[in-house]
Amino acid sequence: MQPPADGHHPPEGISGSELRRDVSVWGSYMWGYAAVGADIYTALGIITLAALGLTPLAFLAAGIVFALVGLCYAELASAYPLAGGGQYFTLRGLGDLSGLVAGAALVLDYTIDISLFTVVAFGYFNYFLPWITFGHHITDFTTTIGPIHLAWLWLVESVAGILLLIWLNVRGIKVSTNFNEIIGTVAIVAQTIIVLAGFVLVWDPGLVANQILFHQPTLSEFAFGSSLAIIAFVGLETISQVAQETRRPATIIPRTSIGLVISVLLFAMAFSLLAIGMLDAHTGKPLDFHGHEGDPVALIAQNIPIIGAVAAPLTAAIGALIVFISANSGVVSASRLSYSMSQFDLLPAWFSKVNRRFATPARAVMVFGGVALLQTIFAFFAPGPAGKTAAIDVLADLYAFGATTGYLLVFISLFVLRLKDPYTPRPYKMPLNIRMTYKGNQVWFPVLGLLGFLGVLFFLVMVLLTHQYARIIGPLWVLAAVVLFAVYRRRRGLPTLKTLPRDWETATKKVLLEAEEFKSLEEYEAALNEHRARTGESGTNLPGTPR
Amino acid sequence: MRSIKGLVVATEAIVLLALGAANILSGQLVGGAIVLGLAILAAACAWVLWPRGHESSAAGG
């Protein structure tokens, strides 16, 4: 990303020309996979401990909602191929204040992404700790202060990891798409080998049935576990974040989004079924993830006969790398999103100024990297049960709030944009639509979109009911963003509650032209001309459109 | 590199399909159905990841 050096805001809030369209179909897929593919390495242990024998059902419930979110993003990101993702769709559909709330929720998620994934990356790294320290495990480097069980070495590693990410991103040292692709491919190959070896050599369907019948969680535990499972699928935003840099986005984005949904769902379901359907090679009992919240996939790999001795350290190494890359994508996405928000006057322009020496959005990187640092320290100092750190539990608890809040607003925006902006061509539409007439226009109401909305709403309610940290910190974060927004708007003499006027028509034409989506551009102009000839109205009917 | 992903996941689909069929034939109906479900997901994934002819030259990342 190359934001303008002076933080100048173009009138319609779009500066597409700064972002070079250089991401191909595989590049787009691998950017998404780097963000979402790592989630299972993080989520498996904590979700299995929460949802017990019903872990695959928790993953399935979250996975179905994730698939609907994926289809919704595929439609919106291919219709509006701009950096900003969910925040941009919400801004365009619902106006400035809603766009701010969606953006703030998603930025919160990215900062937790940085914290959680760095902690888990070092969880996998610590798999090798006994080899370096002559038999000592990470739990040996823990200090107990009252109810706090501080894994101080893990904290030091995580803080160093986040500082490294901040330094890399301030200096502008990027993970190249080619490197991303190599690591992603290695991860897919390794995951496939573990899944196949696990199912062929050790998976026992009888044990799965036994776990489902006799190791059931309470309703509250299942609600907590399934709402945690949503974190196995967070990161889909990344594809829409790079939409503005994607070649032929109308063609590419739907395919990469659907590919990402299917591949992530495949590995999430396969690993969760393995997690409850195999025995520990040493104890002869079902796998116990206590103490393995930081390296759950390595635990599965080490209990597979024949390949376990090699697969486990290899999985730990790949896990550490892919999860750390995912943490890095949190830094990149947080700075991209805050840049987009400041372009639309949702955040002060201070956030979008670039460092003169390195030409990077250094301020945004340092602010949100700093927030991630504070969250990590807070999580390590949180009280928890004896014998383990509470850090992963606390960060995972927080993670689901931002995603569910952001996705909920994106679904509402989907409905509004279908009704109020039927002119923008949609190269991909969510399946199952009902034709209806709205203000003289023929529009299509998305039935699957409604189901996705209800699913996300259900998970948000579960988060608020069962996540003790998220239900307090999440709303407080959004409130703080609204206060900052109100103060900033007041200082600039701009309205707080009203949406600023924006020329969406010019913006859409400019984006389609830059994306070389000429057919879509022709369709857009034809639809607008037909609408104008029929109604005599001049503009599109969206928040902020000048009448 | 691009063709590897599709090939690997296609192999996964075939092995899971065989395993699911073996489970069903040995009387493990639920286990077989679960594995067949995974095989279908893997097949769909392989289909999406399979490189199309015109992309292999255009896709540079």
Side-chain angles (χ1 to χ4, degrees), chain A residues 383-453:
Chain A
K388 66 169 218 169
T389 173
I392 293 178
D393 293 340
V394 172
L395 292 169
D397 179 297
L398 283 169
Y399 200 32
F401 175 83
T404 45
T405 306
Y407 292 162
L408 196 72
L409 287 166
V410 170
F411 270 117
I412 298 172
S413 306
L414 174 80
F415 305 142
V416 172
L417 288 167
R418 282 275 190 103
L419 296 178
K420 293 190 172 180
D421 185 23
Y423 322 105
T424 298
R426 286 162 173 76
Y428 172 80
K429 265 201 187 92
M430 284 186 86
L432 271 184
N433 298 290
I434 297 173
R435 192 166 66 176
M436 53 192 276
T437 304
Y438 177 79
K439 292 194 174 175
N441 291 315
Q442 180 188 281
V443 295
W444 297 87
F445 184 79
V447 177
L448 283 186
L450 181 63
L451 292 179
F453 168 79

Side-chain angles (χ1 to χ4, degrees), chain A residues 41-302:
Chain A
Y41 285 87
T42 303
L44 187 64
I46 43 178
I47 294 162
T48 307
L49 287 171
L52 306 175
L54 298 187
T55 298
L57 285 183
F59 272 101
L60 186 63
I64 290 170
V65 173
F66 163 72
L68 295 172
V69 173
L71 297 180
C72 175
Y73 266 82
E75 173 172 335
L76 292 173
S78 57
Y80 306 101
L82 275 161
Q87 170 266 327
Y88 177 78
F89 309 142
T90 310
L91 173 82
R92 187 137 177 179
L94 303 175
D96 286 7
L97 196 57
S98 300
L100 170 85
V101 172
L106 292 168
V107 166
L108 172 65
D109 243 27
Y110 287 132
T111 61
I112 297 166
D113 179 300
I114 301 166
S115 308
L116 177 61
F117 283 68
T118 306
V119 171
V120 173
F122 283 99
Y124 280 98
F125 175 80
N126 288 335
Y127 179 88
F128 301 101
L129 203 61
W131 303 7
I132 305 166
T133 59
F134 306 103
H136 290 288
H137 292 267
I138 192 67
T139 44
D140 298 334
F141 300 91
T142 303
T143 304
T144 300
I145 314 161
I148 300 164
H149 305 284
L150 179 64
W152 59 267
L153 180 61
W154 203 348
L155 172 62
V156 170
E157 290 168 342
S158 303
V159 167
I162 293 172
L163 288 174
L164 175 67
L165 290 177
I166 293 173
W167 181 78
L168 288 173
N169 281 280
V170 167
R171 295 288 301 251
I173 300 167
K174 292 176 185 171
V175 176
S176 77
T177 305
N178 284 338
F179 181 71
N180 233 350
E181 178 157 345
I182 292 167
I183 295 300
T185 305
V186 169
I188 287 175
V189 172
Q191 286 176 340
T192 300
I193 291 170
I194 294 168
V195 166
L196 288 183
F199 273 92
V200 172
L201 298 174
V202 285
W203 189 67
D204 178 2
L207 182 60
V208 173
N210 185 279
Q211 292 264 59
I212 291 174
L213 291 174
F214 302 112
H215 200 210
Q216 286 183 359
T218 62
L219 194 61
S220 164
E221 284 170 335
F222 183 73
F224 180 64
S226 57
S227 57
L228 273 182
I230 204 90
I231 74 171
F233 305 108
V234 175
L236 199 79
E237 271 270 315
T238 309
I239 286 184
S240 52
Q241 289 291 339
V242 294
Q244 200 164 336
E245 291 146 82
T246 304
R247 290 182 220 148
R248 301 302 309 273
T251 320
I252 285 177
I253 287 173
R255 188 174 156 206
T256 51
S257 298
I258 291 167
L260 190 65
V261 166
I262 297 172
S263 48
V264 170
L265 200 54
L266 167 68
F267 288 114
M269 290 312 300
F271 276 114
S272 61
L273 283 162
L274 271 180
I276 65 158
M278 61 187 277
L279 296 173
D280 190 305
H282 301 291
T283 62
K285 292 177 180 171
L287 286 185
D288 182 4
F289 286 88
H290 283 104
H292 287 279
E293 295 88 346
D295 60 354
V297 181
L299 177 68
I300 287 182
Q302 81 182 31

Side-chain angles (χ1 to χ4, degrees), chain A residues 22 24-26 29-30 177-178 181-182 185 188-189 192 195-196 199 203 205 247 255 259 262-263 266 269 273, chain B residues 1-2 5 8-9 12 15 19 23 28 31 34-35 38 41-42 44-45 48-52 55 58-61:
Chain A
D22 198 29
S24 69
V25 60
W26 294 110
Y29 173 82
M30 293 318 295
T177 305
N178 284 338
E181 178 157 345
I182 292 167
T185 305
I188 287 175
V189 172
T192 300
V195 166
L196 288 183
F199 273 92
W203 189 67
R247 290 182 220 148
R255 188 174 156 206
I262 297 172
S263 48
L266 167 68
M269 290 312 300
L273 283 162
Chain B
M1 184 66 80
R2 276 162 208 117
K5 288 189 285 283
V8 165
V9 183
E12 183 175 353
V15 175
L19 187 65
N23 267 314
Q28 300 263 25
I34 289 172
V35 178
L38 285 178
L41 261 182
C45 185
V48 178
L49 293 182
W50 203 265
R52 310 294 196 263
E55 281 160 10

Side-chain angles (χ1 to χ4, degrees), chain A residues 427-492:
Chain A
Y428 172 80
K429 265 201 187 92
M430 284 186 86
L432 271 184
N433 298 290
I434 297 173
R435 192 166 66 176
M436 53 192 276
T437 304
Y438 177 79
K439 292 194 174 175
N441 291 315
Q442 180 188 281
V443 295
W444 297 87
F445 184 79
V447 177
L448 283 186
L450 181 63
L451 292 179
F453 168 79
L454 293 173
V456 173
L457 181 63
F458 171 79
F459 279 116
L460 179 59
V461 172
M462 289 302 111
V463 168
L464 294 174
L465 288 177
T466 63
H467 292 221
Q468 57 171 328
Y469 293 100
R471 65 182 166 210
I472 298 168
I473 294 174
L476 277 180
W477 172 275
V478 172
L479 192 66
V482 172
V483 171
L484 177 67
F485 169 75
V487 171
Y488 167 65
R489 283 279 176 107
R490 184 173 280 248
R491 279 195 178 171
R492 287 205 60 203

Side-chain angles (χ1 to χ4, degrees), chain A residues 505-524:
Chain A
E505 185 183 330
T506 307
T508 302
K509 285 178 180 172
K510 186 177 169 186
V511 168
L512 291 175
L513 193 66
E514 282 173 1
E516 297 177 17
E517 296 289 359
F518 302 119
K519 187 165 170 275
S520 292
L521 182 59
E522 276 177 27
E523 284 174 14
Y524 182 62

Side-chain angles (χ1 to χ4, degrees), chain A residues 304-341:
Chain A
I304 297 174
I306 305 171
I307 67 160
V310 177
L314 207 60
T315 302
I318 293 168
L321 196 58
I322 193 170
V323 174
F324 197 59
I325 289 173
S326 190
N328 183 60
S329 80
V331 183
V332 175
S333 297
S335 56
R336 257 171 222 264
L337 189 47
S338 56
Y339 171 69
S340 169
M341 289 171 77

